Amino acid sequence: MTRYCAFFESMTVRGDRLSMADLRYAFEREELGNAETVISSGNVLFDYEERPSEGLEDLLAYLMRDRFEMKTFVAVRTREEIRAAVEENPFAGESGDTFVHTVLLASQPSAEQFDRLVADHGRVGMERLALGARSLFVDFAAPMGQSLLTMDFIEKRLGFRGTARNVRSLARIVQKM
C-alpha cells in the first residue's frame, strides 16, 4: 500500500462546510484505507494500492460528485512528491513559510503557459513565481488573501486547475505521513 494525501480545493457543500467525519467515511467506503484529515479541512491522508496519482484524482473527483454533489478539484500526491514540493520550492525560508506556497496543479504547465502567466502577472503584482513538477511555487511575501494573484488568475493563464498550500503546512503533512 502507498500513502497519499488528497488536497481538495474547496470543502463547501451547498453553502455548508463538509464534515471531515463524512469525508473520512466516504474514503473508507471506497476502500481508501486509514483515511485521516490533517491540519485543516481539505487535506486527507489515505492508503491505497500503488497507482498514478492522476488516476486517484479522477476517482476522488467522482466520489465528491457522487456522494456529496460537489464539483471540486483535488490534487493527489505521494509523500515523496510532497517532500519534493517543499524541498524544491526556491522561496522556502525567505519570506516566512506561511507566505510561501506551492500550487498543486492538475497537469504540468508548458514553458509557454508559464511564460504567459509570468508576463501577465508582472502587470498585477510583485509576487515571485517558479515552476515545479506539476506545481507552481509562489512567494506572496504577504498574506495570500491580500494578493491580486488569485487562483482564478493562475488557472486561466495555465489552462487548468490547482490548489495551494503553504510550505509550513506541506512540511507538516510530510511528517504526518
Side-chain angles (χ1 to χ4, degrees):
M1 290 289 184
T2 301
R3 189 82 167 148
Y4 295 93
C5 186
F7 299 92
F8 288 93
E9 170 188 44
S10 172
M11 300 307 293
T12 304
V13 181
R14 294 179 234 91
D16 296 320
R17 297 289 294 171
L18 175 62
S19 156
M20 293 300 100
D22 290 343
L23 184 59
R24 284 189 305 272
Y25 179 71
F27 268 63
E28 291 166 9
R29 287 197 56 193
E30 292 297 322
E31 298 182 11
L32 301 165
N34 298 315
E36 174 184 3
T37 56
V38 61
I39 298 180
S40 62
S41 62
N43 306 313
V44 183
L45 303 177
F46 65 98
D47 297 332
Y48 196 67
E49 63 189 52
E50 188 168 344
R51 68 187 283 185
S53 55
E54 294 93 338
L56 286 171
E57 291 167 351
D58 294 338
L59 172 69
L60 293 176
Y62 173 78
L63 176 127
M64 298 306 287
R65 281 191 311 273
D66 184 56
R67 298 260 200 266
F68 303 109
E69 299 177 4
M70 286 179 67
K71 191 170 185 179
T72 186
F73 170 74
V74 59
V76 176
R77 301 293 191 270
T78 64
R79 184 177 195 270
E80 294 75 25
E81 290 171 318
I82 301 165
R83 182 180 25 236
V86 172
E87 292 173 356
E88 294 172 7
N89 190 319
F91 312 121
E94 292 185 20
S95 295
D97 288 342
T98 58
F99 300 145
V100 175
H101 286 68
T102 298
V103 180
L104 304 164
L105 299 169
S107 296
Q108 180 65 37
S110 68
E112 294 80 21
Q113 289 169 311
F114 179 69
D115 290 345
R116 185 174 82 187
L117 172 65
V118 170
D120 289 353
H121 167 262
R123 292 184 271 253
V124 298
M126 299 301 296
E127 300 81 3
R128 297 184 297 163
L129 305 170
L131 191 57
R134 283 195 315 146
S135 60
L136 176 69
F137 304 122
V138 183
D139 178 3
F140 287 98
M144 184 179 177
Q146 295 176 3
S147 175
L148 296 176
L149 183 64
T150 65
M151 285 305 300
D152 283 342
F153 184 92
I154 292 168
E155 290 171 351
K156 284 179 185 173
R157 285 0 178 245
L158 296 180
F160 42 81
R161 296 176 77 179
T163 186
R165 300 296 188 276
N166 68 45
V167 171
R168 181 179 295 163
S169 294
L170 290 175
R172 287 178 58 202
I173 289 169
V174 168
Q175 290 175 345
K176 185 88 171 157
M177 292 179 84

